[in-house]
Amino acid sequence: LVPGALPATYGALVETVVKSLIGTAPKPEHTAALTQFFGKKPIDPLQAKDQAVTGKFPHLVALVLDSPMFQVR
């Protein structure tokens, strides 16, 4: 779902996952809502040791798949 190098920010991670699952980029407000799940903002830097990468990534995928964005694709 995240090909290549780790995205630099939480927003970029969310956008990459959403694009992989839905095929289109999320709206900025959707990106902000999904990054808030991690307690972060879209501009916050992402590191390999962060929970978004190590433990909560499957939850991000589930949130996208359960979202209205996915249902209307």
Side-chain angles (χ1 to χ4, degrees):
L1 293 174
V2 182
L6 186 67
T9 65
Y10 276 81
L13 173 68
V14 167
E15 290 171 2
T16 301
V17 170
V18 170
K19 284 179 189 176
S20 293
L21 294 172
I22 297 177
T24 61
K27 293 180 180 179
E29 59 268 22
H30 295 157
T31 299
L34 289 167
T35 58
Q36 186 60 41
F37 170 73
F38 300 112
K40 301 290 184 175
K41 295 179 183 176
I43 61 170
D44 288 340
L46 180 66
Q47 299 177 2
K49 62 181 171 69
D50 290 348
Q51 281 290 316
V53 177
T54 61
K56 290 188 174 181
F57 184 79
H59 300 284
L60 173 61
V61 173
L63 285 170
V64 173
L65 293 177
D66 287 341
S67 73
M69 287 185 297
F70 183 76
Q71 300 304 318
V72 298
R73 66 171 178 90

